[in-house]
Amino acid sequence: IVNGEAIWGSCTTASVNDAAKLEKLGRPTITIVHDSFKKSASLHAESLSLPDLPFLVEPQPKGFEIEYVELKEFAENNLMKLETSLTS
């Protein structure tokens, strides 16, 4: 399950909580996290006893806009990580 998008404080907490619940039910997840919230997401996952919870870390777009070329390159560069997280 591709889970949420941790782009603010409360979104980060909620996305990690959702992923933790799904993982404990045996459903593999990967949570999209902006790079500026990676540490917060990781610490929260550790507090839920899931230190290896997978995250797909994306750069926070400038002005909340991302160019198609950047998005396409990001997707291509992370396809294997996405596939591995969802099939393990």
Side-chain angles (χ1 to χ4, degrees):
I1 296 170
V2 177
N3 178 49
E5 190 164 14
I7 59 174
W8 294 105
S10 61
C11 298
T12 301
T13 301
S15 294
V16 172
N17 283 341
D18 290 344
K21 289 175 187 173
L22 290 164
E23 290 278 346
K24 288 177 181 178
L25 291 172
R27 304 296 303 263
T29 67
I30 189 163
T31 301
I32 301 169
V33 179
H34 279 185
D35 54 2
S36 57
F37 289 94
K38 168 68 167 81
K39 183 171 182 151
S40 176
S42 295
L43 289 171
H44 188 51
E46 286 178 29
S47 76
L48 297 172
S49 301
L50 291 168
D52 297 324
L53 192 67
F55 298 115
L56 181 61
V57 181
E58 66 179 356
Q60 187 166 357
K62 307 280 189 269
F64 293 96
E65 293 183 21
I66 189 165
E67 297 292 325
Y68 173 75
V69 174
E70 292 174 299
L71 186 59
K72 184 175 186 242
E73 181 180 330
F74 176 78
E76 289 171 350
N77 290 341
N78 288 284
L79 188 59
M80 289 300 291
K81 180 175 185 168
L82 187 65
E83 184 178 339
T84 300
S85 294
L86 297 177
T87 59
S88 59

